[in-house]
Amino acid sequence: MYQYVLAIHIIFVVCWMAGLFYMVRLFIYHTEAQDKPEPDRSILSAQFEIMERKLWYIIATPSMLITIIAGLTMVYLKQGWLLMAWLQIKLVFVVGLAVYHHICENKMKQMRKGVFKWTSTQLRLWNELATIFLFAIVFLAVLKNGISWIFGVVGLVAFAVILMIAVKIYKRFREKKS
């Protein structure tokens, strides 16, 4: 039974992450559309709002819920794992990812009201936070106690710095093309 639940869990983690990654990409395009002249701005904004709403309520949120339900089922089936440090730390990252999900939903609702508080560069950096959560969760789930926490934390911080540098380089590249 556990293997079937694990398979469902993995499938919907992939769907959830795809939804989060694409949602923030839509936020970036939606934000950049605000610099377009009318009627392009209104047409693009209306289309992005439809795409965001469908992605969120048909893919991202249901996938998150199924991921969490499958995860809780696995914990129920392997209750001893709750005493293990790797699972406790993984669950902290999962809670962080759920908070990230909630913040994205709030961003979507703000944009629907015409409120654009973050620049496209800030949104690009925000998108990388989901990548960091993903790396941390997967490494904890796969390696369990097989990784030194110090090396893991240092590696995660280094990875985050590399991602931020890459976003800044990409921004400069885009600005030069314009």
Side-chain angles (χ1 to χ4, degrees), residues 15-26:
C15 295
W16 183 19
M17 293 308 301
L20 288 175
F21 288 140
Y22 189 49
M23 178 57 81
V24 179
R25 178 57 48 191
L26 288 175

Side-chain angles (χ1 to χ4, degrees), residues 13-14 32 39-40 50 58 64 67 90 93 95 107-108 114 118 133 139 147 162 171 177:
V13 165
V14 170
E32 290 175 348
D40 294 353
I50 292 167
I58 296 172
M64 178 192 69
T67 296
K90 177 190 172 204
F93 281 108
V95 168
K107 284 265 150 239
M108 177 183 70
W118 291 1
F133 279 123
F139 273 97
I147 187 170
I162 290 168
K171 179 183 178 188
K177 284 182 82 175

Side-chain angles (χ1 to χ4, degrees), residues 13 90 93-95 97 132-142:
V13 165
K90 177 190 172 204
F93 281 108
V94 171
V95 168
L97 190 60
I132 293 167
F133 279 123
L134 177 63
F135 269 68
I137 291 166
V138 170
F139 273 97
L140 284 163
V142 171

Side-chain angles (χ1 to χ4, degrees), residues 62-114:
S63 295
M64 178 192 69
L65 294 173
I66 294 170
T67 296
I68 291 170
I69 290 167
L72 291 173
T73 302
M74 290 188 306
V75 167
Y76 175 77
L77 294 172
K78 303 260 186 178
Q79 293 176 16
W81 282 11
L82 275 176
L83 301 174
M84 296 182 177
W86 71 268
L87 182 60
Q88 294 167 1
I89 295 168
K90 177 190 172 204
L91 291 175
V92 169
F93 281 108
V94 171
V95 168
L97 190 60
V99 169
Y100 178 94
H101 182 101
H102 179 70
I103 291 169
C104 285
E105 184 171 7
N106 287 340
K107 284 265 150 239
M108 177 183 70
K109 290 175 180 177
Q110 285 175 351
M111 289 180 177
R112 195 179 313 149
K113 293 177 183 174

Side-chain angles (χ1 to χ4, degrees), residues 122-138:
Q122 290 170 320
L123 288 165
R124 282 181 172 82
L125 289 171
W126 177 249
N127 205 27
E128 300 312 324
L129 181 58
T131 304
I132 293 167
F133 279 123
L134 177 63
F135 269 68
I137 291 166
V138 170

